[in-house]
Structure formats: structure tokens, C-alpha cells
Amino acid sequence: MGDTAESSIIPLPDPDGHRQAPPGVPQPWEKTDRAQAAMEGATGPEPPAPPVCPNCGLVGDRRITYYGWHVLLEPDMPVPAHMVPAWHRWYVDSNGTAWNSRADEPTPGAVCRVPHRIACPGLRLEEIGLWRWLDAVRAENARRAWRKADEEAAREPLPDAG
């Protein structure tokens, strides 16, 4: 190396080792991306399908995310971010790519986009799951109420049957 004619390039194990995998070959991060898309609601129709909601038939504003999935946003509806529940605040960068702020608190005066999923007339509130933490609290409170009712019923004396 150095001043010799010897090459400083380290050969790769195969002739195509420097190329990317061909399209259609699963990548190690695909499952993670798919899980993130499902968790954040980036489940909009993929092109070339039109950006139409499968539940209500309305047209939305389809945006690509940084992990390659599409989210269907309410068209022309910027909303003050503090009014939108966590995990449903979508922002669109200058290049048109959408990203979800997850549970991060919005900065004062921030404006975000609303996903069509939480405004869709074709879904029930239970299917939307707006406040996941509150749904969990409600479920736990329901279990506690049943347990309390059972305990109170057990404390009452049994009727004299004879």
C-alpha cells in the first residue's frame, strides 16, 4: 500500500456485495416499519390506488411517511396541535413527508394535521381508540367496579331459607 502499486480496496465477499438488495427482497427493518405504521395509524391506501378511505369513501390527503408507509390526512384542515390527542398529531415537512410526533408535547402555537381515521364517519369510537391510555384506565376501572360489587354482595348475609 502507500507508495506501492498494491490496491487499497478491500474485496467484498461476492461480486455484488456493494449493491443494494433487489426490490421485493425483505429487508430486516420492514417488520419494525410495519409495526410503527400500524401503531401510528399510517395505514392509508398505497399508490397507485386513489387516496380514498375504505371505510367511508371520502378522499383524503395521502402523504408518505419517513418509513415509507402512507397516512391519509384530513384535507385542508390544519389544527392547533394542543387540541389533537397524542399519537394523532401529524406534521408535514417542506418536502411533503408526514411524521407523527407520538406522545411529545407540541410547542406553543404549533399547528398539525389530523389523520382522517379519527374523523372518519365510517368508524365507531371504539375502533378509533383516540385515547389509548384512557381506554386502559376505563377497562381497569370497570374491573375494579365489578370486584367491588362482588365483595359487597358477599358481605351481605344470605337470606334465611328455612
Side-chain angles (χ1 to χ4, degrees):
M1 300 209 187
D3 57 350
T4 65
E6 216 176 300
S7 173
S8 63
I9 298 175
I10 300 170
L12 296 171
D14 61 37
D16 291 331
H18 66 286
R19 296 188 182 167
Q20 292 183 355
V25 174
Q27 302 297 323
W29 57 84
E30 282 184 9
K31 287 184 181 178
T32 304
D33 289 348
R34 189 175 303 117
Q36 182 175 356
M39 186 171 52
E40 293 180 352
T43 54
E46 299 290 322
V52 175
C53 174
N55 300 305
C56 68
L58 293 174
V59 176
D61 181 15
R62 177 175 49 207
R63 298 293 180 144
I64 185 104
T65 63
Y66 279 105
Y67 43 88
W69 290 76
H70 290 85
V71 62
L72 205 56
L73 301 174
E74 279 297 297
D76 304 317
M77 192 176 149
V79 178
H82 70 277
M83 295 180 68
V84 179
W87 290 90
H88 297 283
R89 298 181 192 115
W90 285 89
Y91 301 91
V92 179
D93 286 345
S94 59
N95 63 1
T97 305
W99 57 278
N100 187 304
S101 67
R102 298 182 167 206
D104 293 344
E105 283 298 314
T107 58
V111 175
C112 69
R113 300 284 304 276
V114 177
H116 173 73
R117 181 169 174 75
I118 67 171
C120 180
L123 294 174
R124 295 186 320 269
L125 220 66
E126 299 83 38
E127 295 174 295
I128 297 169
L130 282 183
W131 295 276
R132 291 183 180 112
W133 66 270
L134 192 53
D135 292 342
V137 170
R138 275 196 201 103
E140 177 58 26
N141 283 344
R143 283 190 291 275
R144 289 175 51 209
W146 279 107
R147 281 195 302 263
K148 182 179 177 186
D150 288 344
E151 288 171 4
E152 288 175 0
R155 278 191 230 138
E156 293 177 12
L158 295 174
D160 188 13

